[in-house]
Amino acid sequence: MPTTYVPINQPIGDGEDVIDTNRFTNIPETQNFDQFVTIDKIAEENRPLSVDSDREFLNSKYRHYREVIWDRAKTFITLSSTAIVIGCIAGFLQVFTETLVNWKTGHCQRNWLLNKSFCCNGVVNEVTSTSNLLLKRQEFECEAQGLWIAWKGHVSPFIIFMLLSVLFALISTLLVKYVAPMATGSGISEIKVWVSGFEYNKEFLGFLTLVIKSVALPLAISSGLSVGKEGPSVHYATCCGYLLTKWLLRDTLTYSSQYEYITAASGAGVAVAFGAPIGGVLFGLEEIASANRFNSSTLWKSYYVALVAITTLKYIDPFRNGRVILFNVTYDRDWKVQEIPIFIALGIFGGLYGKYISKWNINFIHFRKMYLSSWPVQEVLFLATLTALISYFNEFLKLDMTESMGILFHECVKNDNTSTFSHRLCQLDENTHAFEFLKIFTSLCFATVIRALLVVVSYGARVPAGIFVPSMAVGATFGRAVSLLVERFISGPSVITPGAYAFLGAAATLSGITNLTLTVVVIMFELTGAFMYIIPLMIVVAITRIILSTSGISGGIADQMIMVNGFPYLEDEQDEEEEETLEKYTAEQLMSSKLITINETIYLSELESLLYDSASEYSVHGFPITKDEDKFEKEKRCIGYVLKRHLASKIMMQSVNSTKAQTTLVYFNKSNEELGHRENCIGFKDIMNESPISVKKAVPVTLLFRMFKELGCKTIIVEESGILKGLVTAKDILRFKRIKYREVHGAKFTYNEALDRRCWSVIHFIIKRFTTNRNGNVI
Amino acid sequence: MPTTYVPINQPIGDGEDVIDTNRFTNIPETQNFDQFVTIDKIAEENRPLSVDSDREFLNSKYRHYREVIWDRAKTFITLSSTAIVIGCIAGFLQVFTETLVNWKTGHCQRNWLLNKSFCCNGVVNEVTSTSNLLLKRQEFECEAQGLWIAWKGHVSPFIIFMLLSVLFALISTLLVKYVAPMATGSGISEIKVWVSGFEYNKEFLGFLTLVIKSVALPLAISSGLSVGKEGPSVHYATCCGYLLTKWLLRDTLTYSSQYEYITAASGAGVAVAFGAPIGGVLFGLEEIASANRFNSSTLWKSYYVALVAITTLKYIDPFRNGRVILFNVTYDRDWKVQEIPIFIALGIFGGLYGKYISKWNINFIHFRKMYLSSWPVQEVLFLATLTALISYFNEFLKLDMTESMGILFHECVKNDNTSTFSHRLCQLDENTHAFEFLKIFTSLCFATVIRALLVVVSYGARVPAGIFVPSMAVGATFGRAVSLLVERFISGPSVITPGAYAFLGAAATLSGITNLTLTVVVIMFELTGAFMYIIPLMIVVAITRIILSTSGISGGIADQMIMVNGFPYLEDEQDEEEEETLEKYTAEQLMSSKLITINETIYLSELESLLYDSASEYSVHGFPITKDEDKFEKEKRCIGYVLKRHLASKIMMQSVNSTKAQTTLVYFNKSNEELGHRENCIGFKDIMNESPISVKKAVPVTLLFRMFKELGCKTIIVEESGILKGLVTAKDILRFKRIKYREVHGAKFTYNEALDRRCWSVIHFIIKRFTTNRNGNVI
């Protein structure tokens, strides 16, 4: 539903003409505002979410006794159950993905359902060294002993590989399209917005989305598409957190504690995906909860959930080698100071990757929305076939991304006969022929470029898709290519550690695409344990960050997607110009002065009619309560504010039939006790917020924005010496800010419409050529 | 200056009698409030700190050109220079400490000024393995070749050891007492309060404190006192950050950006002290800036400063082995699930350690304040002698704490002939005689108990003193003792890794004393690189945290010291009861209604008299501006608020002589342009805050507290339909909150006065016995 943007023609006068309520034209940066419900963190402070009747709790005689334990232990039980569920899903997902990937190249002789790790589990020789190397030898022997049979022959392996890839992609996209549309893409942006106080459609964290995402994700990854599992892991983990807290803590859960549980669960998603608990906790902090105030109880919950989830994953032991760490390299050669310029070069590559890949990806998403939006399934099929075709012929693209990174990170030990296919990478030394060197170097560069382009076109397709691991794979192949050059032309053999360059390249691109610093450094540590390289790693990530901030990109791909999709999000960074432009405007110019107010005392029927027909005319979410004396005055004094949601649920509870409603009086300023036994009148004081935040007319918009951001309130009343003048909502100020930004700086994302049209015409021509047979009718 | 606490006798009426301005009695929890100046984060938002005249910047013709570069590069230059200075100080400090410690046991034959690392630098054998082991062999050969000569003979080593220990302690405490009294203790609490918006006395971060702390710290550590260098490192690093930013960014530095630089510098302090850059950044986040809003620019600055500081330290290479990591252990045996109960036991020990040591330490500080406050130097001397005497005879206490932890962490390799004194710890196996086993076990337990008690009495003495490393040393000895038991009675040899138990024990006690989770886990990693033990480490720290939170301790030692010293700090965690008690009170009961207000237009002379005599009567820091029309009314309308500090500096700039002041009119609501050429009148509008935060009378105190905490404003105006009713300041609400807490829960820290008195009488008796000779007059 591409919304057209109509520039505001009449200039906003400084102070005379007040902008009326639906006065903000819809611009792309605010197109999806209405799908979100703003949560008033102050009014909802310690008010439980669902005000349903108190559920009787196994009303046996131990009831009181059980309630006391439940009260103390409920946090632990909720956190532990969330973590265990996340750990189990991660374990299942890991095993299922590996099985699918292994099927593409062979099957287990004993029982075709088993994947390589399970199938070759018996082949364990006595040296229990834990390095990844041995795993390779295991596979080698496993195949030698005929336990695992690879598909034989010339053509059939290729056909099976292609067929299975396309089949997996098809099932994945059909599941997402028809069963749970919310399960597409990564989901980090929506979670980030949700936790900052704008609740998305409940379906997004629903049970169906959880199941489909957990099933469609392994299928998407095993189909060979250049998609990662980190973003989707955050999504399914957050679903677990959301569903379990709503079910277990139903009657005592408040919004602020729900956000803590969601942030903790999202962190655990990354922890189990990477096998990096500390990195997961930091991800929850630096990416998800960056709009909230840092508090130690969120940190403690994230820490606990990440720990229990990782321990569960270790217990399930998906890799069959008792370890959670994916790569576990042992670099023992220290780095030299002369290598710093190369680290800087890797950092620059990471920065440029982050900048251009996200730019092209956003342009492609715009192109997809304009032209391809009606054929999502066909698009995914085409992508899967294209990717399978290209990657079959390149050794770095053919392997599953995690496996290929395993090879690229591992440094070549002198007598390296242990790795099964004694990788060509390690056979290189100074006297290898230039042609041999060139072959590997081009294959690495080819893998880097192709995968980067595939990432641009695959991220955003109608399948669960993350962008972290593919970016790391691009960085790893680039890093290893650089190390080949350095070893060949500059340093000579066994001076530098080639594996470390791949490791640093992967960190550069990961930091480039996410624009995170601390989280990336810690994740890369926990992935590899390469402790010697703490300083080079920090240098690379620092350079990447500098490149990004000098080219004006402040957020990672998740932040940019928030702007592209027009989600409401109170960014914290404003550059100086933006502040100056906003300072000129005051609350008076921003407030909506045509308000629907409720009197202190009002008939129930009036209230019901106001509630239900107002849904049509204004999308109003709350009503100021005004004094009775000013009922017919133009200038009213405000004594409180009530949210429509609370009003509706309170009225529902009254269960008063419509005739009686005409006569029952509702008092907003007297509580039930004060009204006592007077019949047919009800006190609504408990749902009224008696002290809404209020400001004067002359307050500058910058201070207003800061109050919305820091206090998390939903509406601010504008008063002048006690008289109610108007009302500003969080979404109003965001709309105003983004419209102003567009006026001063132009659109944040500019699209090359001409290029898009030309591409579309080419694609359209090709499709027409294929689908219509000779005599012109569509097959 | 022990302040007596007078309980408020008359109960605070609910609403009738309003509490007047200096109406809060002084209780210990608020005793030091007046030493702090509250910073209004909103009013000072983008107002530079010092409003001095713009400094002419090398006013040559390239001036404009240079200003442009300076503008873009100033952040980098400031951050880099801060980091390099911190790195250099850390390098100097490390070398200086090692030199002093080595002097206590011997001297370098070539040049007595060199310490062991520098002296034995030449003795480098070709195998460039980097494990700590080799360093030991280096020392062994160094002594064999006569490069390093230990003090010979029976008695003289002991005397030199004692003499030097006491001498170093004496110089250290004299420097602190007479040159820079602010340099005592650790300083983390004051920095934490400073960054949260309450500025301490400028001397605390002054140049003198920086120099003395950097010199007195190595002296204190080398004197053998059970003090660590982490707390003081945070302090001297913050001094660097503060001084350099004030000097370099003088005209553009605002308060909020100064806090960012200070947090970054404090993080770098821990980074260089532990050799743990990521741990340092997390420390800045979790401990120092925990009251502020998390923002990525603080994270980025901390990251950059920690990186540059560590690289500088590595370049200086204080350990002469090219590495920054202190311990670098290589545990290759994986942990078993059956060991989890023991990890839980270690966690419990850490929790109990944290709980009791901080409790006893606070009691001892109270005892010191009551009785010993007039003899700080003598106290330190006594402590130094006592510690030197005890630790000379225990092998784990005698060594410098870092060195002894190095031995305890390192796991015993089978043919371990490399370590110089082939430590007895590694000679143990199943057939060692019970007596031999008992000897080592008791020496470990002795070291644990003694050092714990020494920590209680030394932390708080008049020397620069941290508590992190001593706590880790206690944990390390305890962990190793447990591993001896396990190996002897449960698992038998070469099943568990004894070194890992010491490593986990140290993590438990560090987390127990600081109550930090993520920071401790990451620091322990960076210290040792022991990646295999990620999950056991997290389990231990989790158990410690659970023990602390169930026994009601919410903050670490730094937070508790804030309460003990009565510093103002807006804690974030309030337990439910506290919320309920506060909810009953409203802003009306809390506000001070006897206000000094300023009219819109006022004579300069009146303003000056108001400013200077008001300093005597009320300690008022700001004035509401009221409308002219209400000049003689009782009910005034407020149009703004001005800070006394800005008023004073603006008046100073006017340089109007006293007679002319009588006739010059000051306008607060008209700016200079509006007044234009009308002579002898000045516009003060630019320093007036036109939209101060205002609330209604009925606002509950909980919401008020939240506004102070989230918005960081200094004063909130209380208005009722436009009429100025009163004013609440940040300190008022903190005083009110702590008084209420004391009324409901009693004092946070209760002291056993009787016990103190008895101890004092015993000490007094001993001192009298020593100092008076036979015929009763004092020597």
Side-chain angles (χ1 to χ4, degrees), chain A residues 166-224:
Chain A
V166 175
L167 181 71
F168 294 155
L170 179 67
I171 307 169
S172 179
T173 190
L174 287 178
L175 277 175
V176 167
K177 186 159 186 333
Y178 293 106
V179 182
M182 288 277 172
T184 184
S186 98
I188 294 185
S189 315
E190 290 86 347
I191 295 168
K192 209 173 142 87
V193 169
W194 189 305
V195 163
S196 78
F198 297 97
E199 210 172 74
Y200 196 34
N201 147 358
K202 294 256 187 315
E203 246 316 289
F204 175 73
L205 291 178
F207 183 70
L208 204 59
T209 315
L210 169 62
V211 170
I212 295 305
K213 196 122 197 180
S214 311
V215 172
L217 177 61
L219 286 166
I221 294 173
S222 54
S223 70

Side-chain angles (χ1 to χ4, degrees), chain B residues 662-778:
Chain B
Q662 250 79 11
T663 55
T664 29
L665 255 176
V666 166
Y667 288 91
F668 273 101
N669 60 357
K670 291 198 187 59
S671 63
N672 292 13
E673 298 83 33
E674 284 151 322
L675 295 170
H677 45 68
R678 296 221 321 251
E679 19 71 39
N680 71 28
C681 56
I682 326 154
F684 267 27
K685 197 173 179 190
D686 58 339
I687 58 161
M688 183 183 85
N689 173 4
E690 281 153 76
S691 45
I693 312 279
S694 65
V695 283
K696 294 198 181 63
K697 271 197 307 185
V699 156
V701 168
T702 41
L703 176 60
L704 214 56
F705 182 79
R706 188 183 165 113
M707 289 173 88
F708 274 115
K709 184 153 175 43
E710 309 266 2
L711 296 173
C713 47
K714 173 168 176 163
T715 43
I716 294 188
I717 313 272
V718 181
E719 281 176 335
E720 201 52 42
S721 13
I723 309 298
L724 174 64
K725 288 290 171 196
L727 184 96
V728 182
T729 69
K731 284 189 188 166
D732 284 349
I733 198 162
L734 260 178
R735 280 202 180 89
F736 182 79
K737 194 161 166 293
R738 291 188 182 174
I739 289 173
K740 280 286 150 252
Y741 184 88
R742 191 175 256 273
E743 266 168 33
V744 171
H745 300 278
K748 265 217 161 140
F749 299 99
T750 48
Y751 305 111
N752 185 332
E753 304 287 355
L755 177 72
D756 287 355
R757 256 194 307 282
R758 230 178 306 112
C759 299
W760 172 239
S761 54
V762 163
I763 297 174
H764 193 63
F765 172 75
I766 301 167
I767 295 171
K768 232 162 63 286
R769 285 284 288 104
F770 270 95
T771 45
T772 55
N773 52 26
R774 235 140 277 89
N775 42 38
N777 41 36
V778 175

Side-chain angles (χ1 to χ4, degrees), chain B residues 223-250:
Chain B
S223 70
L225 281 168
S226 288
V227 290
K229 60 173 182 175
E230 278 60 37
S233 314
V234 171
H235 191 181
Y236 77 66
T238 316
C239 289
C240 295
Y242 178 75
L243 293 169
L244 277 168
T245 33
K246 267 197 101 154
W247 178 58
L248 284 173
L249 303 172
R250 196 175 18 221

Side-chain angles (χ1 to χ4, degrees), chain A residues 45 278 286 291 293 296 299 303 310 314 335 521 526 531 534-535 538 541 691 699 706 710-711, chain B residues 45 278 286 291 293 299 303 307 310 314 335 521 526 531 534-535 538 541 573 691 699 706 710-711:
Chain A
E45 178 91 47
I278 310 285
E286 199 179 344
R293 164 165 296 283
S296 51
L299 184 78
Y303 180 90
I310 272 288
K314 182 170 159 67
W335 56 284
V521 169
E526 295 183 281
F531 239 89
I534 194 166
I535 295 182
M538 286 179 86
V541 168
S691 45
V699 156
R706 190 184 163 113
E710 310 265 1
L711 296 172
Chain B
E45 177 92 47
I278 310 286
E286 199 177 345
R293 167 166 294 286
L299 184 78
Y303 179 90
L307 169 61
I310 272 289
K314 183 173 161 63
W335 57 282
V521 169
E526 295 183 280
F531 238 87
I534 191 164
I535 295 183
M538 287 179 84
V541 169
E573 257 80 45
S691 45
V699 156
R706 188 183 165 113
E710 309 266 2
L711 296 173

Side-chain angles (χ1 to χ4, degrees), chain A residues 41-42 45-46 72 76 128 130 275-278 281-282 285-286 289-297 299-300 303-304 306-307 310-311 314-315 321-325 328 332 334-335 337 340 517-518 521-522 525-532 534-535 537-543 545-546 549-550 572-573 579 583 637-639 689-696 698-700 703 706-707 709-712 719-722, chain B residues 41-42 45-46 72 76 130 275-278 281-282 285-286 289-297 299-300 303-304 306-307 310-311 314-315 321-325 328 332 334-335 337 340 517-518 521-522 525-532 534-535 537-543 545-546 549-550 572-573 579 583 637-639 689-696 698-700 703 706-707 709-712 719-723:
Chain A
K41 287 188 189 157
I42 297 190
E45 178 91 47
N46 22 40
R72 288 195 63 81
F76 277 116
T128 56
T130 54
I278 310 285
V281 174
L282 281 172
L285 209 75
E286 199 179 344
S290 60
N292 294 27
R293 164 165 296 283
F294 168 83
N295 67 35
S296 51
S297 86
L299 184 78
W300 165 240
Y303 180 90
Y304 181 80
L307 168 62
I310 272 288
T311 322
K314 182 170 159 67
Y315 197 71
N321 58 16
R323 270 184 314 95
V324 179
I325 303 178
N328 194 16
D332 46 20
D334 205 352
W335 56 284
V337 187
I340 289 190
T517 49
L518 211 60
V521 169
V522 173
F525 273 143
E526 295 183 281
L527 267 180
T528 58
F531 239 89
M532 283 285 148
I534 194 166
I535 295 182
L537 183 60
M538 286 179 86
I539 293 174
V540 164
V541 168
I543 301 290
R545 168 82 189 220
I546 292 167
S549 52
T550 37
D572 36 20
E573 258 78 41
E579 297 245 336
E583 231 147 36
R637 271 163 301 157
C638 165
I639 61 154
N689 174 5
E690 282 152 73
S691 45
I693 313 279
S694 64
V695 282
K696 295 200 180 64
V699 156
L703 176 61
R706 190 184 163 113
M707 289 174 90
K709 179 144 180 47
E710 310 265 1
L711 296 172
E719 280 177 335
E720 202 53 40
S721 4
Chain B
K41 284 186 188 159
I42 295 188
E45 177 92 47
N46 23 38
R72 290 194 63 79
F76 279 117
T130 52
I278 310 286
V281 173
L282 279 173
L285 207 76
E286 199 177 345
S290 60
N292 295 25
R293 167 166 294 286
F294 168 85
N295 69 35
S296 50
S297 89
L299 184 78
W300 165 239
Y303 179 90
Y304 182 78
L307 169 61
I310 272 289
T311 322
K314 183 173 161 63
Y315 199 69
N321 58 16
R323 273 184 313 93
V324 177
I325 304 179
N328 193 17
D332 45 21
D334 205 353
W335 57 282
V337 185
I340 289 191
T517 50
L518 212 59
V521 169
V522 173
F525 272 145
E526 295 183 280
L527 265 181
T528 59
F531 238 87
M532 284 286 141
I534 191 164
I535 295 183
L537 183 60
M538 287 179 84
I539 292 174
V540 164
V541 169
I543 302 290
R545 165 87 189 214
I546 292 168
S549 53
T550 38
D572 36 24
E573 257 80 45
E579 296 246 336
E583 228 145 33
R637 273 164 298 156
C638 164
I639 61 153
N689 173 4
E690 281 153 76
S691 45
I693 312 279
S694 65
V695 283
K696 294 198 181 63
V699 156
L703 176 60
R706 188 183 165 113
M707 289 173 88
K709 184 153 175 43
E710 309 266 2
L711 296 173
E719 281 176 335
E720 201 52 42
S721 13
I723 309 298

Side-chain angles (χ1 to χ4, degrees), chain A residues 299-455:
Chain A
L299 184 78
W300 165 240
K301 288 193 172 76
S302 316
Y303 180 90
Y304 181 80
V305 173
L307 168 62
V308 174
I310 272 288
T311 322
T312 325
L313 188 64
K314 182 170 159 67
Y315 197 71
I316 298 169
D317 184 7
F319 298 119
R320 287 295 117 193
N321 58 16
R323 270 184 314 95
V324 179
I325 303 178
L326 267 83
F327 303 119
N328 194 16
V329 292
T330 46
Y331 303 144
D332 46 20
R333 213 179 292 129
D334 205 352
W335 56 284
K336 320 265 171 315
V337 187
Q338 304 82 337
E339 288 175 286
I340 289 190
I342 307 165
F343 299 150
I344 292 175
L346 287 174
I348 293 169
F349 173 76
L352 297 180
Y353 172 87
K355 184 175 160 190
Y356 287 108
I357 292 295
S358 46
K359 191 157 163 279
W360 294 337
N361 178 257
I362 286 167
N363 284 351
F364 189 78
I365 284 173
H366 179 74
F367 174 78
R368 178 182 285 128
K369 209 156 57 169
M370 283 296 188
Y371 300 98
L372 302 179
S373 55
S374 35
W375 304 288
V377 177
Q378 294 82 341
E379 190 210 338
V380 167
L381 288 190
F382 172 72
L383 263 180
T385 344
L386 180 77
T387 322
L389 210 64
I390 303 172
S391 51
Y392 191 77
F393 302 102
N394 175 297
E395 61 198 307
F396 297 110
L397 291 176
K398 185 175 180 195
L399 286 169
D400 162 65
M401 274 183 272
T402 342
E403 228 178 306
S404 77
M405 276 202 282
I407 297 162
L408 292 165
F409 285 168
H410 124 74
E411 87 282 12
C412 297
V413 175
K414 253 296 139 290
N415 39 28
D416 176 19
N417 48 26
T418 51
S419 70
T420 33
F421 37 82
S422 58
H423 203 273
R424 289 189 300 155
L425 266 177
C426 282
Q427 263 50 53
L428 282 169
D429 47 39
E430 64 283 17
N431 38 40
T432 36
H433 190 277
F435 173 71
E436 187 56 31
F437 167 81
L438 221 40
K439 236 177 73 183
I440 294 193
F441 183 70
T442 37
S443 130
L444 278 172
C445 294
F446 177 79
T448 310
V449 171
I450 290 300
R451 178 156 290 153
L453 293 179
L454 284 175
V455 162

Side-chain angles (χ1 to χ4, degrees), chain B residues 575-588:
Chain B
D575 42 39
E576 280 80 19
E577 301 126 30
E578 221 178 330
E579 296 246 336
E580 266 131 39
T581 43
L582 288 181
E583 228 145 33
K584 293 205 274 315
Y585 298 97
T586 64
E588 198 189 347

Side-chain angles (χ1 to χ4, degrees), chain B residues 337-602:
Chain B
V337 185
Q338 306 83 335
E339 288 174 288
I340 289 191
I342 308 165
F343 299 148
I344 293 175
L346 287 174
I348 293 169
F349 173 77
L352 297 180
Y353 173 87
K355 183 175 163 191
Y356 287 107
I357 293 295
S358 47
K359 190 156 163 280
W360 295 337
N361 177 256
I362 286 166
N363 285 353
F364 189 79
I365 286 173
H366 179 74
F367 174 77
R368 173 185 287 130
K369 209 154 69 174
M370 283 295 191
Y371 300 98
L372 304 176
S373 53
S374 38
W375 303 290
V377 176
Q378 294 82 339
E379 190 208 336
V380 167
L381 287 190
F382 171 74
L383 264 180
T385 343
L386 181 77
T387 322
L389 211 65
I390 303 172
S391 52
Y392 191 77
F393 302 102
N394 176 298
E395 62 200 307
F396 297 108
L397 292 175
K398 184 176 180 191
L399 285 168
D400 161 65
M401 274 182 271
T402 343
E403 228 178 304
S404 76
M405 276 203 281
I407 297 163
L408 291 165
F409 284 169
H410 125 71
E411 88 280 12
C412 296
V413 177
K414 262 290 145 290
N415 40 27
D416 178 16
N417 48 24
T418 53
S419 71
T420 33
F421 36 80
S422 59
H423 203 275
R424 288 189 302 155
L425 265 175
C426 282
Q427 263 50 51
L428 279 171
D429 46 38
E430 65 282 18
N431 41 38
T432 36
H433 190 273
F435 172 70
E436 187 57 30
F437 167 81
L438 222 37
K439 233 177 74 181
I440 294 191
F441 183 70
T442 36
S443 126
L444 276 172
C445 294
F446 177 80
T448 310
V449 171
I450 291 299
R451 176 155 289 151
L453 293 178
L454 285 174
V455 161
V456 168
V457 291
S458 330
Y459 186 66
R462 191 64 72 87
V463 267
I467 197 167
F468 285 18
V469 168
S471 305
M472 286 169 70
V474 168
T477 39
F478 177 78
R480 196 71 193 228
V482 166
S483 73
L484 289 189
L485 282 182
V486 168
E487 236 177 10
R488 183 83 181 182
F489 302 107
I490 306 171
S491 77
S494 78
V495 171
I496 61 163
T497 330
Y501 281 52
F503 159 74
L504 293 173
T509 40
L510 180 59
S511 163
I513 200 73
T514 57
N515 206 337
L516 298 172
T517 50
L518 212 59
T519 311
V520 167
V521 169
V522 173
I523 286 182
M524 288 313 285
F525 272 145
E526 295 183 280
L527 265 181
T528 59
F531 238 87
M532 284 286 141
Y533 283 80
I534 191 164
I535 295 183
L537 183 60
M538 287 179 84
I539 292 174
V540 164
V541 169
I543 302 290
T544 307
R545 165 87 189 214
I546 292 168
I547 302 274
L548 286 177
S549 53
T550 38
S551 52
I553 299 177
S554 66
I557 186 98
D559 304 289
Q560 292 169 39
M561 293 311 274
I562 287 177
M563 281 306 253
V564 166
N565 299 332
F567 294 150
Y569 181 67
L570 294 162
E571 311 86 20
D572 36 24
E573 257 80 45
Q574 289 128 334
D575 42 39
E576 280 80 19
E577 301 126 30
E578 221 178 330
E579 296 246 336
E580 266 131 39
T581 43
L582 288 181
E583 228 145 33
K584 293 205 274 315
Y585 298 97
T586 64
E588 198 189 347
Q589 292 162 296
L590 187 61
M591 64 182 183
S592 51
S593 44
K594 293 201 200 75
L595 301 177
I596 314 168
T597 56
I598 306 178
N599 278 335
E600 266 175 285
T601 42
I602 182 170

